[in-house]
Amino acid sequence: KGIRFSLEQDNMEVDCAYDGEEALQMAHNKEYDIILLDVMLPKLTGFEVCQQIREFSNVPVIMLTAKGDDMDKILGLEYGADDYITKPFDMQEVVLRIKSVLRRMEMAAPPTLESEPPFSVAGIRFVPSTQKVYFNNEELSLTPKEYALLYFLAKNTGTIVSRADIMDHVWGLRNYVGDTRTVDIHIQRLRRKLGRSKIRTAFGAGYVLEENE
């Protein structure tokens, strides 16, 4: 209730769910700009809710956790969260983080140039006008962030791109010097969909999309 009141004072429209099942149902029934998701929820945990939301929606998700353990934070990102806030927190921080995530999502929107024709690299076919990707003649199910990351790698096929370059071009964070583990997590997701041999790790340097198997 306190979070809701504070966000409404900042001219945000807010719905509240009081357990994981209710949260999941609300996410199904209504299109939201962003979701604040507590890890410790009745019925379904925040991680479970986030994982299931990612099966049908790319809405930005910020996890709220009372635990400071890095594994919990990483686990939240692996399930598809975009950011996390550790309790106790100041409401001003929550508001700023919400605005920051929304701004990053807007800045990192995938290319939508209808004039760009379809192209293929490394056995992967891109259709920029629809933001669809095909591999082995099957359409890949990608989140907007995964699409933007794979598109960036494809445009630099055979060239090593650093995590800092990825944070700049995909997340819109120029000269970023913070934690880049979210890049590694998104690379892991792409490898699960493409196979590990497609994206090679250049240790200490970054990642490269290989032209051939």
Side-chain angles (χ1 to χ4, degrees), residues 46-92:
F47 293 136
E48 292 172 320
V49 174
C50 187
Q51 185 179 35
Q52 293 188 49
I53 286 176
R54 280 294 170 259
E55 294 177 0
F56 62 86
S57 174
N58 296 315
V59 58
V61 174
I62 298 178
M63 305 295 294
L64 304 179
T65 174
K67 299 179 181 180
D69 189 277
D70 282 345
M71 289 308 296
D72 272 358
K73 299 171 185 176
I74 295 171
L75 185 59
L77 292 174
E78 286 180 337
Y79 279 130
D82 297 276
D83 201 355
Y84 62 84
I85 301 174
T86 302
K87 301 176 185 178
F89 49 74
D90 182 84
M91 272 309 304
Q92 184 177 4

Side-chain angles (χ1 to χ4, degrees), residues 110-111 126 128 131-133 142-151:
F126 292 79
Q131 297 176 16
K132 291 184 177 181
V133 179
L142 301 178
T143 67
K145 196 70 69 190
E146 290 169 352
Y147 175 88
L149 174 54
L150 186 58
Y151 179 94

